[in-house]
Amino acid sequence: MNILLIEADKVLGESSVNVLEAAGFKVTWKRSAQTGLDALDDYLPDIILLEIQLGNHNGIEFLYEINSYPEWQRVPIIIHTINPKAQDEIFKEAFKQLGVRDILYKPRTSTVQLVRTVKKYVLVK
């Protein structure tokens, strides 16, 4: 199973890669929304794990871009964010309309919960 991880923070990205690879996933890690979009031109992952705080071209813009390509819309997306605004109902509803399957909040999400959630959506697709 292939995961496209989009995470700008070096420590959090390395940690996520280690956890997910230890669980048996192949992880492609990109540190910006643009490099994540570029990766989608090369291959279609089984799931996308997305931080929405990415700097200039943020995760929300990434979601809008994904929705403009039918083949990309089929890929399950999980938001894994430290942004507290993502907990607001208005954000949750917007994420849902943009195809987000689940939202996990750092640092409250345990490694077990992260792996379990990814497996849930990779197997259901």
Side-chain angles (χ1 to χ4, degrees), residues 11-122:
V11 172
L12 294 173
E14 288 174 352
S15 174
S16 295
V17 168
N18 290 337
V19 165
L20 294 166
E21 287 182 344
F25 294 103
K26 181 179 182 287
V27 182
T28 300
W29 173 28
K30 300 297 178 181
R31 295 188 64 187
S32 73
Q34 187 57 55
T35 57
L37 290 169
D38 294 344
L40 288 171
D41 285 333
D42 297 330
Y43 87 108
L44 203 57
D46 295 303
I47 196 163
I48 298 170
L49 192 58
L50 173 68
E51 168 60 80
I52 57 171
Q53 282 188 200
L54 295 170
N56 294 340
H57 186 175
N58 66 41
I60 305 231
E61 292 167 340
F62 177 87
L63 291 170
Y64 278 108
E65 187 74 26
I66 288 266
N67 277 289
S68 64
Y69 294 91
E71 65 275 14
W72 294 353
Q73 291 175 11
R74 293 188 291 272
V75 179
I77 300 169
I78 297 172
I79 300 274
H80 189 215
T81 188
I82 198 160
N83 188 329
K85 289 184 178 181
Q87 297 178 49
D88 295 344
E89 287 305 314
I90 194 162
F91 277 88
K92 288 179 182 179
E93 186 56 38
F95 291 148
K96 190 180 202 181
Q97 290 177 10
L98 290 170
V100 172
R101 304 281 177 91
D102 213 330
I103 305 170
L104 301 173
Y105 304 100
K106 300 178 224 170
R108 294 188 319 221
T109 303
S110 69
T111 56
V112 171
Q113 183 182 7
L114 174 62
V115 170
R116 186 181 311 132
T117 302
V118 168
K119 284 181 178 178
K120 173 181 170 184
Y121 292 103
V122 167

